[in-house]
Every structure is written in C-alpha cells, then in structure tokens.
Amino acid sequence: QVQLVESGGGLVQPGGSLRLSCAASGSIFSINAMGWYRQAPGKQRELVALIRSGGRVNIVDSVKGRFAISRDNARNTVYLQMNNLKPEDTAGYYCYADLIITGSRWTNAYWGQGTQVTVSS
C-alpha cells in the first residue's frame, strides 16, 4: 500500500504565500515523478507542477514565476511553494505520484486526498 499525505493548505489573502507538502510512504521501490494538480469547483483537474526523478520540472504557465516545486528524494516528499497567490488559485490541490511499488515492474499513479487552498480577502 502507498499513501500520499498532504499538508499546508488554508486560507490566505491575495498576494500571500503558502507551502504545500506531500509525503509518500509505503512499499515504494522508486518514484518516477511527483507533483501537484488542482481542481476548482466546476472545472477539470489540471496539472500545476510536476518534478521528475532526474529533476526535470513542468509548471503550468498560469503559475510560472509565482509557484516553485521541489523534491526531497530521501524523504519521498514533494513541496509546492506558492507565492503572490491570486483568487483564481483557489482550488483543491492534489498530490500525485508516479511510482513503482516493491515487487512490481510497473508504474502506477497514486493520489493524495487533497488540501484546500482558498485565496480571498
């Protein structure tokens, strides 16, 4: 079993900052990529940022220059630093991991439960 546990969401005023964390635990052999998706009410889930095992990063254009993703491989943890937050960043943020569990040859996608980020004055 694999668990992704997120933390760090909350309510923040426009222009403020939050840092999300997601720790993966369980019978993990290797992690190919970890990242964050978000879903606002009435909208589809979208990729926010992804970091691969080699360090390559993908970030959606709408948050470039404001959000940064980083990863602690030793702790199987991914972080999302969100600065200059805007009301349109309000959404449920979901941790994602593409990984191989011990004893398997295949990669599978795992999701966290989600953490709410609300940007409002």
Side-chain angles (χ1 to χ4, degrees):
Q1 290 283 359
V2 173
Q3 281 191 320
L4 302 181
V5 179
E6 302 132 327
S7 61
L11 172 64
V12 64
Q13 292 186 341
S17 298
L18 285 174
R19 188 191 194 209
L20 305 183
S21 300
C22 172
S25 63
S27 301
I28 299 170
F29 176 71
S30 66
I31 300 177
N32 299 321
M34 292 187 77
W36 296 90
Y37 284 70
R38 67 184 180 185
Q39 188 168 17
K43 294 188 176 181
Q44 288 190 331
R45 189 172 292 190
E46 66 168 352
L47 172 67
V48 178
L50 189 74
I51 184 166
R52 305 180 191 279
S53 57
R56 181 180 174 185
V57 170
N58 295 95
I59 297 183
V60 68
D61 286 345
S62 60
V63 306
K64 279 183 179 177
R66 301 188 296 121
F67 291 12
I69 189 169
S70 60
R71 181 172 159 181
D72 184 338
N73 291 329
R75 291 182 169 83
N76 289 340
T77 300
V78 65
Y79 305 95
L80 186 68
Q81 178 65 44
M82 305 184 293
N83 299 324
N84 190 21
L85 281 158
K86 303 177 180 181
E88 52 263 42
D89 296 318
T90 296
Y93 282 70
Y94 297 86
C95 181
Y96 165 87
D98 179 61
L99 58 86
I100 300 174
I101 64 172
T102 303
S104 173
R105 294 185 297 168
W106 312 109
T107 62
N108 280 289
Y110 292 85
W111 294 91
Q113 298 271 22
T115 185
Q116 180 66 30
V117 171
T118 302
V119 185
S120 175
S121 55

